[in-house]
């Protein structure tokens, strides 16, 4: 192919090449034997003998130097290539069309599109370009998204801290059309507002959709949603529970939750601004008990060194929530800390159950929904764990 002649090329060590063979798309700086003589963008990758291994995104400033795009080194990465890849990712989510109007169309490495996130909120798209290499492909990606989805607007939430490691500015920029401050989402018939410009992640926690539906269907009696944010679990609980307390440390988050409850004509939700640790401790002492509890805290373990402290935090809230359950009560508990692996999450729950004095049944163990695919060979694509527990006594 003539195109390969003009492409800048990188040579990588045998260890770098082995990473691709094992199904992981990243090659680190220490395995780049000869870096490409070019700015961030698409480069050809070769082994030390010059054999072409594929095409990658090149990030000159990052520890993650090369991210695999295509094992075919003669491929042309243009608008139509992006279209084909993004369409394939979207096809994997076809089933979601009957459940919601908001889902993750592209989950980065999990969809073979490293460092790219594309979330769809109704007619609008919110994207995250988190490497220098992918940023260099922005125009083609935007063109592909317009061809595929004809969206009313595309917003880039490029404000994550990880962009700094790539030498990129942190910014929120409109790339196409218009994107409003609020977009109404329909999730299994529950309506809530996403906040694409200012909300967490790209405007909502899409990754908990199926878990909200799961516990929402089983909810009953008096329910408690700790770490409620915009109330999305609380709204699902309120459809079947008698009363729901939505708790969060953030008053503005709960104002939005209250607005969401009104949007669904739900009048059985009350909102409590409080620290969840203190609230759970106080209820344990005053004897309040619940039929249904949800714990969906932020990531307590932001990095490996913080893991032991994080595990103590998770255990504390889970142990107290278990004690607050009426006999037969249900607890849905989650962790989105990447560093708290599935085995560690279960170990933490076992330790909490042992100390709680309750006999807890593990009814379901959940992970990520279909729109956040976890690739077994790329551990970084998996982070969300959930458990549905029932108090036996
Ligand atoms: N369950 C939500 C997402 C929760 S995000 C959903 O499905 O959409 C985590 C939330 O925890 C944030 O809103 C944050 O304000 C809140 N939070 C963080 N620390 C807290 C604490 N100690 N007590 C109560 N809320 C806390």
């Amino acid at each position: 192919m003539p195109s390969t002649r003009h492409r800048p090329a990188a040579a990588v060590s045998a260890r770098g090449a082995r990473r691709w063979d094992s199904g992981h798309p990243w090659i680190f700086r220490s395995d780049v034997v000869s870096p490409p003589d070019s700015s961030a963008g698409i480069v050809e990758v070769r082994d030390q003998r010059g054999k072409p291994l594929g095409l990658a995104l090149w990030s000159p400033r990052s520890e993650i130097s090369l991210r695999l795009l295509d094992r075919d080194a003669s491929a042309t990465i243009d608008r139509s290539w992006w279209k084909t890849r993004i369409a394939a990712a979207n096809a994997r989510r076809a089933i979601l069309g009957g459940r919601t109007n908001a889902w993750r169309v592209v989950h980065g490495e999990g969809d073979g599109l490293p460092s790219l996130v594309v979330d769809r909120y109704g007619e609008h798209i919110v994207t995250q370009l988190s490497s220098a290499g992918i940023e260099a492909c922005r125009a083609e990606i935007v063109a592909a998204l317009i061809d595929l989805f004809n969206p009313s607007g595309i917003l880039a939430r490029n404000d994550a801290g990880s962009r700094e490691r790539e030498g990129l500015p942190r910014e929120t920029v409109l790339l196409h059309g218009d994107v409003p401050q609020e977009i109404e989402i329909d999730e299994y018939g529950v309506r809530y507002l996403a906040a694409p410009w200012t909300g967490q992640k790209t405007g909502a926690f899409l990754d908990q959709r199926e878990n909200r539906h799961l516990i929402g269907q089983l909810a009953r009696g008096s329910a408690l949603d700790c770490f409620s944010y915009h109330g999305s679990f609380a709204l699902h609980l309120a459809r079947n529970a008698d009363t729901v307390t939505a708790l969060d440390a953030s008053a503005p988050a709960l104002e939005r939750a209250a607005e969401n409850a009104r949007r669904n004509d739900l009048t059985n939700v009350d909102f409590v601004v409080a620290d969840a640790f203190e609230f759970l401790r106080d209820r344990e002492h005053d004897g309040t008990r619940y039929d249904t509890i949800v714990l969906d805290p932020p990531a307590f373990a932001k990095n490996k060194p913080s893991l032991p402290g994080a595990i103590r935090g998770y255990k504390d809230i889970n142990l107290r929530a278990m004690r607050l359950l009426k006999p037969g009560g249900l607890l849905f508990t989650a962790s989105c800390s990447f560093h708290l692996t599935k085995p560690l999450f279960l170990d933490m729950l076992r330790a909490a159950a042992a100390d709680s004095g309750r006999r807890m049944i593990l009814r379901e163990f959940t992970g990520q929904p279909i729109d956040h695919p976890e690739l077994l060979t790329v551990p970084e694509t998996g982070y969300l764990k959930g458990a549905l527990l029932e108090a036996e006594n």
Side-chain angles (χ1 to χ4, degrees):
M1 287 289 291
S3 60
T4 57
R5 275 206 305 274
H6 308 295
R7 266 204 187 106
V12 299
S13 68
R15 192 174 62 173
R18 270 201 306 277
R19 275 183 78 78
W20 280 7
D21 288 339
S22 73
H24 200 294
W26 298 350
I27 296 181
F28 291 99
R29 186 199 293 268
S30 53
D31 288 319
V32 179
V33 179
S34 117
D37 179 20
S38 65
S39 53
I42 295 164
V43 298
E44 185 177 328
V45 177
R46 301 183 183 144
D47 70 11
Q48 277 170 283
R49 280 170 304 187
K51 183 181 141 206
L53 301 177
L55 300 175
L57 296 167
W58 156 238
S59 286
R61 303 263 298 269
S62 173
E63 280 307 308
I64 307 170
S65 298
L66 297 164
R67 293 172 169 89
L68 173 66
L69 280 184
D70 201 317
R71 290 305 295 252
D72 176 4
S74 68
T76 304
I77 313 282
D78 55 8
R79 173 182 182 154
S80 115
W81 185 94
W82 291 103
K83 245 173 100 169
T84 305
R85 277 282 174 104
I86 297 170
N90 195 46
R92 208 168 285 136
R93 281 102 168 135
I95 193 173
L96 295 178
R99 304 177 187 170
T100 182
N101 62 349
W103 63 82
R104 176 152 294 190
V105 178
V106 174
H107 181 54
E109 281 72 358
D111 285 299
L113 291 164
S115 62
L116 176 66
V117 160
V118 177
D119 286 347
R120 177 196 163 155
Y121 292 96
E123 303 305 311
H124 301 89
I125 284 177
V126 185
T127 180
Q128 289 177 318
L129 306 158
S130 53
S131 75
I134 200 93
E135 180 73 54
C137 302
R138 188 166 101 176
E140 290 82 9
I141 294 170
V142 168
L145 290 172
I146 293 170
D147 281 354
L148 282 170
F149 305 113
N150 188 24
S152 307
I154 303 177
L155 180 72
R157 277 295 296 274
N158 287 340
D159 52 343
S162 57
R163 296 245 313 174
E164 278 170 11
R165 293 197 288 273
E166 297 279 326
L168 295 169
R170 293 170 69 172
E171 57 191 11
T172 297
V173 280
L174 191 63
L175 301 181
H176 170 73
D178 283 312
V179 173
Q181 289 292 325
E182 296 176 336
I183 302 172
E184 188 178 277
I185 300 312
D186 186 311
E187 179 179 285
Y188 286 100
V190 170
R191 291 186 300 278
Y192 68 91
L193 293 176
W197 288 81
T198 56
Q200 299 213 33
K201 293 202 171 196
T202 61
F205 290 95
L206 300 174
D207 52 2
Q208 290 283 27
R209 174 196 320 109
E210 308 304 323
N211 292 328
R212 289 190 282 256
H213 180 58
L214 169 72
I215 188 65
Q217 287 195 304
L218 297 168
R220 58 177 187 270
S222 66
L224 170 65
D225 175 23
C226 291
F227 310 96
S228 190
Y229 189 51
H230 294 168
S232 2
F233 270 101
L235 302 175
H236 281 266
L237 298 177
R239 294 212 285 190
N240 286 314
D242 299 329
T243 58
V244 182
T245 296
L247 178 145
D248 202 282
S250 156
L254 286 184
E255 275 164 31
R256 201 174 278 267
E259 157 65 25
N260 286 331
R262 283 193 290 277
R263 207 162 264 269
N264 292 277
D265 297 322
L266 292 166
T267 52
N268 57 343
V269 188
D270 63 308
F271 303 89
V272 176
V273 181
D275 175 75
F277 289 83
E278 284 174 20
F279 182 92
L280 291 167
R281 206 175 310 136
D282 293 347
R283 298 293 80 74
E284 191 184 329
H285 293 139
D286 72 18
T288 308
R289 296 295 177 262
Y290 297 92
D291 297 283
T292 313
I293 301 179
V294 170
L295 294 178
D296 181 28
F300 289 163
K302 301 273 185 228
N303 46 44
K304 217 153 185 197
S306 64
L307 190 55
I311 291 176
R312 283 193 294 277
Y314 284 117
K315 186 183 162 192
D316 186 81
I317 53 172
N318 278 282
L319 154 65
R320 291 181 198 285
M322 288 171 187
R323 286 186 180 154
L324 291 184
L325 289 173
K326 293 181 190 170
L330 294 174
L331 167 62
F332 179 78
T333 180
S335 163
C336 59
S337 294
F338 164 68
H339 297 280
L340 188 76
T341 58
K342 293 180 183 73
L344 289 176
F345 177 64
L346 268 181
D347 283 349
M348 178 277 296
L349 289 177
R350 285 192 187 102
D355 288 3
S356 72
R358 308 297 296 273
R359 282 159 58 90
M360 302 298 303
I361 302 164
L362 177 60
R363 282 185 44 174
E364 286 203 33
F365 190 77
T366 70
Q368 289 164 212
I370 187 73
D371 55 332
H372 292 67
E374 179 179 344
L375 265 189
L376 288 177
T377 51
V378 190
E380 294 83 357
T381 56
Y383 59 95
L384 186 64
K385 291 106 5 220
L388 175 67
L389 307 174
E390 180 180 325
E392 198 186 59
N393 55 0

